[in-house]
Amino acid sequence: MSDSHTTHSAVIVIGGGIVGVSTLYHLAKAGARDALLLERRELTAGATWHAAGNVHTQSAYANLSALQAYSLRLYDGLAEEVGQEVGSHVVGGFFLAQTKERMAEFKHLAGKFRGLGLEYDLVTPAEIKAKYPLMNVSDLEGGAWDPEEGYVDPYSVTMGLAAGARKYGAKIKRNCQVERIDRLPSGHWRLTAGDQVFECETIVNCAGFWADEVARMVGARLPITNMEHQYLVTETMPSVAALDYELPMIRDCDSQYYLRQEGQGLLLGPWEQDARRAWNHADGRAPWSFGQELFEDDWERLEDGLSAIFHRVPDLEMAGIKRGVNGAISFAPDGRPMIGPLPGVPNFYVACGFLGGIAQGGGIGLAMSQWILEGEPELDLHFIDVARFGDWTTREFARERTHEILPIRYELIYPGIERTSGRPVKTTPIYGDLLARGAVMGQAYGWERPLWFAPDGVAPRDEPSFQRPNWWDHVGAEAKAMSEGCGLSEMSSYGKFRVSGTDAAAFLDHIGSAKVPTRPGKMALSLMLNTRGGIVGDLTIENTGDGSFYCVGATLGVALYQRWMMDHAGGFDVRIENVTDHIAALGIAGPKSRDLLNALSGGAFDDFPFMTSKEVEVGRIRCKALRVSYSGEMGWELHCSMLNQKALFDALMAEGPTYGLTLMGGRAMGMLRLEKGYRSWGHEMTTEVTPHAAGLQKFCSTKKDYIGRAAVDAERTTPPTKRFVTLDIDPAAPPCWGTEPVLRDGALIGYVTSGGMGWRTGKMLAVGWIDADGIAPGDALQVQILMNTYRAEVVADPVYDPKNERLLG
């Protein structure tokens, strides 16, 4: 087809629901006027048009709360901006608690939201009744109040955003179904829709129910599950019509429903316990012909939920049903959105899988526009990045996980909660051995890995709590036993890459803050930074001696790391191989670790300095041994073929009793690192944190150029005002799990990012992200935990072994 028949744009957004239109609006508002949206039918024709329209700020994830708060404020001001009414109602909202445990969660959340600058107040049943006189509060323990809760008309808001997008220069083409996507030799995309052809540099897949189908057009997959969800709207209720104000939003977290006013009636939305896949055929895919349609009402599935709502609002017993809405919503396996650049497909972005698309749509559109135009969003969004899923995330896994989480939409979110459905997926050869020894497994990027080990006579299961859970002392026993003898950790899930090619060293120098080791067997810890100096990730880099480099990074960051490296490999003769699935790793650490390893290797670990590597034989197995330790004790990581892990483990376990060998899970390691002031990816190492703020500037070279160096150098002379400090907290306090407010003389100065027990020092510790000007070790602060305030003293890092005598051995 000749070029004259082809429409050219810089960015094409596929899908005209609220997320797609919001992305277009924000792109255009930021100056990307050459942006085009292609909609299969009419705007809102997928899930948006029939959504309940609830908008709220509350989320278990701080930055998702920030995006949702942005959405609410955007919608509320949109009518003035575009001159078009959008039906925004900011009425406030109650979260109801029927149990003391739910109130404990609300106390935890209240602290988190205070740390974020959001309002979230605990309230009594009487205070709820005062604002919601129709409510039966006789069996409520209390609740929480968010003054920014509200709802919008989804259709009107989407049309308002579309008007804004056009105002700023973007274009929208309706009744244009993309049928094929091809990659041109130039790297641009060609999209075919019937007899229409479009070309662009960047595609944004906001196709909702059809997001996986669009991804398949470029040879990829997305783990989307389309599910049915019903709500109903009552006819006019006299008790509602008699009020001279609009009732607040209601979320009854223990009975799993939402409730709000609609006109002079109420809208009731129970979360179905009998969760059903939409278009319930073999693969659950949405027909391309599906438009502004609904499924047949199925009231029997709502009986339990409606009974709970009628109990809460007795007047509903006499209300007639005006209409029912049984529509489809699309889910990611963990219930969180999937956004960002699709790994392995350059210039192809995804924004799909929205359980709360209306609440999140405004903020997600902003984040997507920043990602596309600036290379990354302002906020760290790794927890909703599409890269958190890989090839292991099959359609069946997604279906099983969705059926677990949909009926418990408002479940109690305990710290460290683990999902059970769809498991196991990825296991190592010693998985059965670890289970037989009491391992309680968690799942990370599909991998099964031990969290802690239950001793004989103790049930190997989590009993979560906001206080000290059932595993607390057992984790402590693992940490202490390791520090007195030695401990074995399963580390096979860590991301592992082989970087080779004539420019391998130059490439790693370009993307990493530390000088790449030039001598074989030497290692370096290097930070990958963005141009703002924010920490994308950290890599341990080993010079293998054959011209290639072996790099190890965080489990949950493996796909993000690979994408970041591939995105910055242009101009370098370099090959990046993800070898994670092929290489197993066991960690051995503790004061007797060298003795154990020497006994199995003929003394190969005697002359073995810190941050060096060797090829060694441990028992019958040849390993790559890396002298590095996240626990702060003398230790090594043993990397071998996945096929050999079982034999290596057996040899270590057979010899281990002589040296006090104990099995140690990830929770013990997570607490041990606090005593050493080590930072954790996703907690302290994020794209919003610079090396100086994290106390990691020593890993940033002054002798070479690298991405982010200008920002790092600027902070050498002008240190950041916000930084991390380690806090020694009143031992009588409950644990800090993250997001607890940090105060100075009662004034908010930050929040906790990590917390736990320092088992070797006997100190309750936390890491605080605070406004740190004028704050030094010894200063007195406070931490608010479950709405109670406890003393906290700033301490110098590291709290344990400050001279690294034990680490260096």
Side-chain angles (χ1 to χ4, degrees):
M1 183 171 291
S2 67
D3 192 66
S4 61
H5 293 90
T6 300
T7 301
H8 295 266
S9 298
V11 181
I12 290 180
V13 179
I14 301 175
I18 192 167
V19 173
V21 176
S22 174
T23 299
L24 185 75
Y25 162 86
H26 284 93
L27 283 167
K29 192 171 184 178
R33 300 180 183 276
D34 190 14
L36 170 67
L37 184 146
L38 303 180
E39 162 52 38
R40 180 186 54 92
R41 294 290 183 267
E42 299 289 338
L43 297 184
T44 78
T48 298
W49 76 275
H50 64 69
N54 302 334
V55 184
H56 52 93
T57 59
Q58 188 223 33
S59 167
Y61 297 87
N63 281 352
L64 195 52
S65 289
L67 292 180
Q68 291 174 184
Y70 171 86
S71 294
L72 189 145
R73 295 160 191 168
L74 169 68
Y75 302 158
D76 203 42
L78 194 58
E80 183 178 349
E81 179 184 351
V82 302
Q84 194 169 303
E85 183 55 49
V86 300
S88 175
H89 301 253
V90 180
V91 295
F94 287 114
F95 297 82
L96 309 183
Q98 298 177 28
T99 66
K100 294 184 184 300
E101 274 298 292
R102 182 68 71 174
M103 281 304 295
E105 180 191 37
F106 289 172
K107 289 178 181 178
H108 175 71
L109 292 172
K112 176 177 80 171
F113 292 127
R114 179 183 179 185
L116 296 174
L118 299 173
E119 292 186 61
Y120 190 83
D121 301 319
L122 300 185
V123 292
T124 65
E127 289 173 309
I128 297 171
K129 182 76 172 180
K131 288 185 178 180
Y132 207 111
L134 282 63
M135 183 172 294
N136 168 22
V137 299
S138 61
D139 57 349
L140 291 181
E141 191 71 29
W145 167 254
D146 180 352
E148 289 198 289
E149 288 278 319
Y151 66 96
V152 296
D153 173 48
Y155 178 85
S156 297
V157 164
T158 305
M159 293 304 173
L161 290 168
R166 293 188 182 100
K167 171 184 172 182
Y168 296 120
K171 295 179 175 62
I172 296 174
K173 192 168 186 60
R174 299 173 294 115
N175 297 306
C176 185
Q177 179 180 320
V178 175
E179 298 168 343
R180 176 171 175 164
I181 302 174
D182 295 294
R183 193 69 180 268
L184 301 176
S186 64
H188 288 191
W189 295 106
R190 173 172 288 165
L191 297 83
T192 304
D195 60 356
Q196 302 176 83
V197 177
F198 305 87
E199 288 186 10
C200 65
E201 299 171 26
T202 301
I203 292 176
V204 190
N205 178 2
C206 301
F209 304 145
W210 300 272
D212 184 41
E213 277 62 42
V214 172
R216 288 168 185 255
M217 295 179 190
V218 297
R221 297 288 301 273
L222 290 172
I224 291 291
T225 303
N226 297 318
M227 302 293 291
E228 289 187 18
H229 174 56
Q230 301 179 87
Y231 66 83
L232 60 87
V233 178
T234 72
E235 295 175 342
T236 295
M237 297 172 59
S239 55
V240 175
L243 296 172
D244 59 0
Y245 64 91
E246 192 167 4
L247 288 166
M249 303 279 298
I250 297 294
R251 285 183 178 77
D252 192 330
C253 298
D254 295 304
S255 293
Q256 300 289 331
Y257 65 81
Y258 56 87
L259 176 69
R260 69 164 174 83
Q261 188 169 332
E262 174 79 359
Q264 293 185 326
L266 295 177
L267 182 152
L268 295 63
W271 290 103
E272 297 89 341
Q273 300 306 294
D274 178 15
R276 293 188 185 176
R277 188 162 53 181
W279 303 285
N280 197 24
H281 42 73
D283 59 11
R285 295 187 188 180
W288 283 108
S289 60
F290 194 81
Q292 289 177 307
E293 303 168 47
L294 296 171
F295 304 120
E296 185 176 341
D297 292 332
D298 188 0
W299 304 124
E300 289 185 8
R301 293 172 57 212
L302 300 185
E303 285 182 358
D304 291 342
L306 292 176
S307 176
I309 300 174
F310 292 164
H311 167 73
R312 190 64 57 215
V313 183
D315 284 2
L316 281 167
E317 293 279 6
M318 306 301 294
I321 297 176
K322 183 177 181 179
R323 70 177 187 275
V325 176
N326 186 13
I329 50 178
S330 60
F331 276 74
D334 54 11
R336 305 196 298 270
M338 291 190 292
I339 72 170
L342 192 61
V345 189
N347 297 322
F348 188 96
Y349 291 77
V350 169
C352 62
F354 291 92
L355 179 54
I358 307 303
Q360 295 160 358
I364 293 294
L366 173 65
M368 291 300 296
S369 70
Q370 293 172 342
W371 221 324
I372 293 163
L373 300 179
E374 301 171 27
E376 59 196 342
E378 179 182 4
L379 298 176
D380 184 273
L381 300 177
H382 72 273
F383 61 97
I384 55 174
D385 193 314
V386 65
R388 71 189 187 276
F389 298 117
D391 292 342
W392 57 272
T393 320
T394 61
R395 185 179 290 274
E396 178 60 19
F397 169 84
R399 186 197 67 79
E400 289 185 36
R401 184 59 55 87
T402 300
H403 278 256
E404 177 186 2
I405 63 176
L406 178 59
I408 52 174
R409 176 73 175 89
Y410 301 139
E411 69 176 322
L412 268 163
I413 304 295
Y414 287 106
I417 195 168
E418 289 284 340
R419 303 295 179 195
T420 59
S421 55
R423 295 172 57 186
V425 177
K426 298 176 73 171
T427 61
T428 64
I430 63 170
Y431 172 68
D433 297 89
L434 298 176
L435 287 179
R437 289 168 169 82
V440 178
M441 292 288 186
Q443 187 183 53
Y445 197 65
W447 290 97
E448 295 290 322
R449 60 181 192 180
L451 301 172
W452 63 284
F453 289 85
D456 290 344
V458 174
R461 64 172 180 268
D462 277 356
E463 295 174 10
S465 171
F466 293 102
Q467 303 286 335
R468 289 167 174 77
N470 67 313
W471 47 261
W472 186 265
D473 289 335
H474 302 304
V475 165
E478 294 171 20
K480 292 175 184 176
M482 183 278 300
S483 67
E484 295 167 1
C486 55
L488 184 153
S489 302
E490 163 65 285
M491 296 180 169
S492 301
S493 66
Y494 284 18
K496 298 176 284 288
F497 303 93
R498 181 174 291 112
V499 180
S500 58
T502 56
D503 293 335
F507 167 70
L508 290 170
D509 269 337
H510 173 64
I511 66 163
S513 64
K515 191 77 177 73
V516 172
T518 56
R519 287 190 292 166
K522 292 292 185 180
M523 297 163 56
L525 178 64
S526 192
L527 305 175
M528 293 186 292
L529 308 177
N530 59 30
T531 55
R532 301 193 309 262
I535 302 173
V536 175
D538 65 316
L539 287 172
T540 300
I541 302 173
E542 178 222 15
N543 186 325
T544 62
D546 62 0
S548 70
F549 296 86
Y550 183 61
C551 305
V552 182
T555 299
L556 292 175
V558 61
L560 284 80
Y561 286 18
Q562 183 173 10
R563 185 180 67 196
W564 182 264
M565 289 191 282
M566 295 298 295
D567 285 349
H568 293 84
F572 292 95
D573 177 13
V574 64
R575 183 183 182 193
I576 301 162
E577 299 173 83
N578 184 344
V579 295
T580 304
D581 292 355
H582 306 293
I583 299 179
L586 296 177
I588 301 291
K592 297 181 181 179
S593 57
R594 175 181 279 126
D595 296 335
L596 168 60
L597 293 171
N598 271 338
L600 290 167
S601 66
F605 288 78
D606 272 336
D607 183 17
F608 206 142
F610 187 63
M611 294 300 285
T612 65
S613 67
K614 281 185 185 180
E615 292 286 338
V616 296
E617 292 184 7
V618 178
R620 298 187 300 273
I621 304 304
R622 180 174 293 278
C623 305
K624 181 195 296 288
L626 309 179
R627 176 79 191 274
V628 64
S629 171
Y630 196 50
S631 68
E633 301 287 346
M634 177 174 59
W636 285 264
E637 293 178 10
L638 306 178
H639 294 239
C640 66
S641 165
M642 194 69 75
L643 296 174
N644 295 138
Q645 188 199 33
K646 166 67 171 163
L648 176 63
F649 176 81
D650 287 346
L652 291 165
M653 294 302 294
E655 190 71 24
T658 303
Y659 304 94
L661 182 66
T662 188
L663 292 173
M664 190 167 64
R667 286 180 177 153
M669 192 70 74
M671 293 191 190
L672 288 162
R673 61 100 180 173
L674 295 174
E675 293 177 303
K676 292 297 293 180
Y678 295 162
R679 307 309 185 203
S680 174
W681 184 83
H683 291 93
E684 290 83 39
M685 287 190 282
T686 77
T687 56
E688 297 174 48
V689 176
T690 63
H692 280 82
L696 300 174
Q697 62 270 24
K698 65 182 178 181
F699 299 108
C700 297
S701 174
T702 59
K703 299 180 179 179
K704 71 178 182 78
D705 194 19
Y706 54 88
I707 299 171
R709 177 172 173 177
V712 172
D713 287 351
E715 289 193 343
R716 293 187 192 280
T717 54
T718 308
T721 56
K722 292 186 75 74
R723 61 181 172 85
F724 289 112
V725 297
T726 297
L727 302 172
D728 178 2
I729 298 172
D730 183 344
C736 286
W737 301 108
T739 70
E740 292 83 0
V742 179
L743 315 172
R744 187 178 197 183
D745 299 327
L748 180 69
I749 61 169
Y751 56 89
V752 168
T753 55
S754 300
M757 188 71 191
W759 296 103
R760 294 169 295 196
T761 57
K763 296 179 182 294
M764 183 73 81
L765 299 174
V767 181
W769 174 244
I770 67 170
D771 298 312
D773 274 358
I775 291 178
D779 285 353
L781 303 178
Q782 304 87 42
V783 174
Q784 193 176 75
I785 308 171
L786 299 177
M787 299 303 290
N788 292 316
T789 302
Y790 299 88
R791 68 157 182 82
E793 179 184 329
V794 179
V795 292
D797 286 324
V799 177
Y800 175 75
D801 187 25
K803 295 183 179 180
N804 286 329
E805 293 170 339
R806 294 175 67 93
L807 175 68
L808 300 178

